[in-house]
Amino acid sequence: MYRILIADDEPMIRKGLQKLVEQSGLPITSIRTAENGTDALQRIREERPDFLFTDIRMPKLDGLELCRHVAEMDADIQIVVVSGYNDFEYAQKSVSYGVKEYLLKPVTIKGFQEVLEKLVRFSAKQRSATFVPVTRLETWAARLDEAVWLLQEQELRAVLAEMRCELDGFGLKPTRLCDVLDELHVLLVSRINKRDVFTLYAGLELADVSEKEEAWRRFDGSVRSLCEELRHKRRGRRKDPVEEAKQYIEDHLAEEVSLEEVADRIGLNASYFSQLFKQSTQETFVQYRTRRRMEKAKKLLQQPHYRITDISGEVGYADHPHFTKTFKKYAGCLPSEYRHKMGIE
């Protein structure tokens, strides 16, 4: 499965390339587009693509600078420069930034398909060169499962250290390491849940990671949080951690409660809690808190004795203009207009 990003300031070019990708028969996880280099860079940081198709001349950040930033990330992103005839000499300068192919505008179906096939072949070769045997992943998953299930912290540290040392020997790029750690995490959670005693949440988000150290930090944090969750369940904890977090947010809507504070309150690693919360609610922590604040604001606005300025404080906004702006974005109208709809003057 491949993730693809198309960066071009011309809407027709973006749509045309997207259509060619969709018609290629390539197994696609996601196709994202960007209208300039700055937006493209942001999307790359959010979710690393396998293939990047970029124009040369774009506003804010041109294609050449975008290629330079991508090269500095040390990511396994295969770049294709899409350029007009007059830009071709300029486009060739990007070869030092790891550009794999060039496409000359107007892009033909045949030319695009040939480039795509080259990218896929190179990607397959690259992945096989850094292949980690499935048997090793299963062995590590079994050892981690045992250490987590028995809550053996010392053994867990030893397994993680040994595993990291061995994986370092494979010389994996950050993106390939993320793939391996994600696969290992799935194996681990699956083994634990097959014990059919407690169901643990699987949460490890590595799509936006571009550095090895961060990938290991998140993996370690997630594995240790599985231990904590298991420990809490064995103590007879009746509340689901996400439900407990929701209640804490509800009780403190008037305060600026952080994700880290809530995670600490329920005894989970902040990174793991963030992933767990989004997986369970389909919203980020901030999105959920904002929605609950706005719902409470609606209820208070329906009560005439509350002043609008007081309501903003009741739902955690010391800055009244910020409250007004947020409410309008959420409800589609100003607080005063909402009251007017309710027949309250």
Side-chain angles (χ1 to χ4, degrees), residues 117-310:
E117 287 173 1
K118 287 181 182 179
L119 296 181
V120 171
R121 285 198 300 270
F122 184 84
S123 179
K125 182 179 179 181
Q126 191 176 45
R127 290 183 181 186
S128 63
T130 56
F131 175 71
V132 179
V134 175
T135 53
R136 290 305 298 147
L137 296 182
E138 290 176 343
T139 299
W140 288 329
R143 292 183 61 189
L144 287 171
D145 170 42
E146 189 74 8
V148 169
W149 188 251
L150 298 177
L151 300 178
Q152 298 173 330
E153 294 186 14
Q154 187 173 346
E155 175 63 15
L156 182 60
R157 284 196 298 272
V159 175
L160 288 170
E162 181 183 326
M163 189 178 73
R164 181 168 184 171
C165 182
E166 189 169 339
L167 275 176
D168 283 346
F170 280 88
L172 303 176
K173 290 271 190 174
T175 50
R176 181 64 185 129
L177 175 64
C178 287
D179 292 339
V180 171
L181 292 180
D182 186 62
E183 187 176 351
L184 182 58
H185 191 268
V186 171
L187 286 172
L188 170 60
V189 174
S190 177
R191 291 183 70 97
I192 294 173
N193 287 338
K194 279 181 181 177
R195 293 176 182 270
D196 201 26
V197 179
F198 300 111
T199 298
L200 302 184
Y201 292 91
L204 179 64
E205 183 54 61
L206 297 173
D208 61 333
V209 174
S210 59
E211 296 180 1
K212 290 184 179 181
E213 196 60 40
E214 175 63 13
W216 280 112
R217 188 187 69 79
R218 292 194 189 185
F219 181 81
D220 286 9
S222 185
V223 172
R224 294 180 192 283
S225 288
L226 286 173
C227 287
E228 288 306 308
E229 189 180 346
L230 189 58
R231 183 179 283 110
H232 284 305
K233 286 181 181 291
R234 287 174 177 167
R235 288 173 180 169
R237 183 188 207 150
R238 295 180 181 179
K239 272 197 172 183
D240 179 277
V242 173
E243 291 304 315
E244 188 174 348
K246 285 182 181 179
Q247 188 59 55
Y248 189 79
I249 293 169
E250 203 71 26
D251 294 340
H252 297 81
L253 284 177
E255 303 168 29
E256 196 57 38
V257 176
S258 68
L259 180 147
E260 289 75 17
E261 182 180 338
V262 177
D264 183 63
R265 174 81 180 185
I266 61 178
L268 293 178
N269 168 272
S271 178
Y272 175 69
F273 168 67
S274 175
Q275 298 157 23
L276 178 64
F277 191 87
K278 187 172 182 180
Q279 183 183 41
S280 177
T281 65
Q282 306 307 308
E283 294 177 292
T284 66
F285 175 85
V286 173
Q287 288 170 340
Y288 177 84
R289 185 184 62 185
T290 300
R291 180 170 64 81
R292 293 306 304 150
R293 282 175 165 178
M294 294 303 103
E295 289 299 323
K296 183 176 180 179
K298 279 185 175 181
K299 291 181 181 179
L300 295 176
L301 285 166
Q302 293 170 29
Q303 301 176 46
H305 61 280
Y306 275 103
R307 295 188 307 171
I308 294 178
T309 51
D310 293 335

Side-chain angles (χ1 to χ4, degrees), residues 88-135:
F88 192 72
E89 184 178 346
Y90 179 48
Q92 284 182 307
K93 296 178 182 177
S94 61
V95 69
S96 61
Y97 301 136
V99 172
K100 290 290 182 291
E101 296 291 336
Y102 301 94
L103 273 173
L104 203 58
K105 295 180 182 179
V107 178
T108 64
I109 296 176
K110 182 181 179 182
F112 183 84
Q113 192 66 37
E114 288 176 351
V115 164
L116 204 55
E117 287 173 1
K118 287 181 182 179
L119 296 181
V120 171
R121 285 198 300 270
F122 184 84
S123 179
K125 182 179 179 181
Q126 191 176 45
R127 290 183 181 186
S128 63
T130 56
F131 175 71
V132 179
V134 175
T135 53

